[in-house]
Amino acid sequence: EPEVTQTPSHQVTQMGQEVILRCVPISNHLYFYWYRQILGQKVEFLVSFYNNEISEKSEIFDDQFSVERPDGSNFTLKIRSTKLEDSAMYFCASRDDREVQGYTFGSGTRLTVV
Amino acid sequence: EDQVTQSPEALRLQEGESSSLNCSYTVSGLRGLFWYRQDPGKGPEFLFTLYSAGEEKEKERLKATLTKKESFLHITAPKPEDSATYLCAGNNYGQNFVFGPGTRLSVLP
């Protein structure tokens, strides 16, 4: 069964450093998403991406964050100048152009900012 | 503001003891009400989508139902492998998910 692959599975970074979280969506999917889940809290929407541009973003997704699809397969989330409160699980998701039931989530990257 | 709440927060059942999880939602332009299963350290895994009041979906020991303001996930004769966090999510006009906090289900042998 096709999967959304995320790397690394766990990243530890110093406060103030930049991190890049990587995702390989399912190959024929056209819509890409990032969500995050702070430990013990809800899964929260960050950003959606379609046709090489951001289609929607939440209040969380401020200037500290950026997304990119640098080639035909990868989808990245960059966090500049990380803060302690950025520590969370970050989930990538993708779907095809059918209805939203085609959503598939990756297993996540656990980001720990120290 | 779009909101999804779930109850109970945690539920412990004996194997074979049936129960229901509740999801209440206020999501403008709701396109679908989703149920996901999440195991520790993993991403949400799709279970069901419900689109209109009165709709029901079933999969093995799980059945999801939808009213205009609530959805229920019924678990019949659960097994220990059903232990997980069950997430309810409304998919809104922006085609993004508004997740509830989840119900942590533990099924004891």
Side-chain angles (χ1 to χ4, degrees):
Chain A
E1 189 171 328
E3 288 184 343
V4 173
T5 305
Q6 291 187 242
T7 55
S9 57
H10 189 190
Q11 176 143 9
V12 181
T13 189
Q14 296 273 346
M15 192 168 55
Q17 296 296 306
E18 175 181 288
V19 295
I20 298 176
L21 311 183
R22 302 181 192 279
C23 170
V24 179
I26 294 173
S27 62
N28 63 338
H29 283 189
L30 303 175
Y31 298 81
F32 313 112
Y33 306 83
W34 284 101
Y35 287 78
R36 80 171 184 189
Q37 187 175 29
I38 295 171
L39 186 64
Q41 297 188 23
K42 296 182 184 185
V43 177
E44 300 173 291
F45 167 70
L46 292 178
V47 66
S48 57
F49 191 86
Y50 171 71
N51 201 25
N52 285 319
E53 61 183 25
I54 290 173
S55 45
E56 190 168 347
K57 59 184 181 179
S58 72
E59 292 175 353
I60 303 167
F61 194 90
D62 59 21
D63 293 342
Q64 183 195 7
F65 295 89
S66 61
V67 289
E68 200 173 49
R69 188 154 162 82
D71 54 43
S73 60
N74 290 287
F75 179 51
T76 62
L77 175 69
K78 182 188 290 186
I79 310 175
R80 286 180 282 276
S81 189
T82 49
K83 304 175 233 178
L84 295 176
E85 53 265 38
D86 295 327
S87 295
M89 280 287 280
Y90 288 82
F91 294 109
C92 173
S94 70
R95 71 171 181 92
D96 59 21
D97 60 355
R98 294 175 299 155
E99 254 309 327
V100 294
Q101 62 198 42
Y103 253 87
T104 302
F105 282 83
S107 289
T109 292
R110 178 172 300 284
L111 176 66
T112 303
V113 182
V114 297
Chain B
E1 181 186 342
D2 292 344
Q3 195 168 13
V4 176
T5 58
Q6 292 185 247
S7 63
E9 183 177 323
L11 182 62
R12 288 165 68 99
L13 299 173
Q14 289 296 132
E15 185 172 1
E17 180 187 359
S18 302
S19 189
S20 295
L21 313 183
N22 174 265
C23 168
S24 297
Y25 63 92
T26 309
V27 177
S28 58
L30 184 79
R31 292 168 62 92
L33 193 290
F34 285 65
W35 283 95
Y36 284 89
R37 170 187 171 128
Q38 187 177 27
D39 291 299
K42 301 289 186 184
E45 177 187 339
F46 172 75
L47 292 174
F48 302 109
T49 313
L50 301 164
Y51 290 104
S52 55
E55 190 175 357
E56 297 184 354
K57 295 265 178 80
E58 278 189 75
K59 180 180 177 180
E60 296 180 356
R61 296 176 290 283
L62 300 177
K63 183 168 84 171
T65 62
L66 183 67
T67 71
K68 286 189 177 176
K69 292 187 178 180
E70 291 180 304
S71 178
F72 294 91
L73 185 67
H74 307 278
I75 303 176
T76 302
K79 299 182 178 181
E81 53 262 42
D82 295 322
S83 297
T85 296
Y86 290 86
L87 304 176
C88 174
N91 192 266
N92 63 16
Y93 186 74
Q95 298 189 16
N96 308 311
F97 286 112
V98 178
F99 278 90
T103 292
R104 238 177 11 262
L105 175 66
S106 301
V107 182
L108 307 176

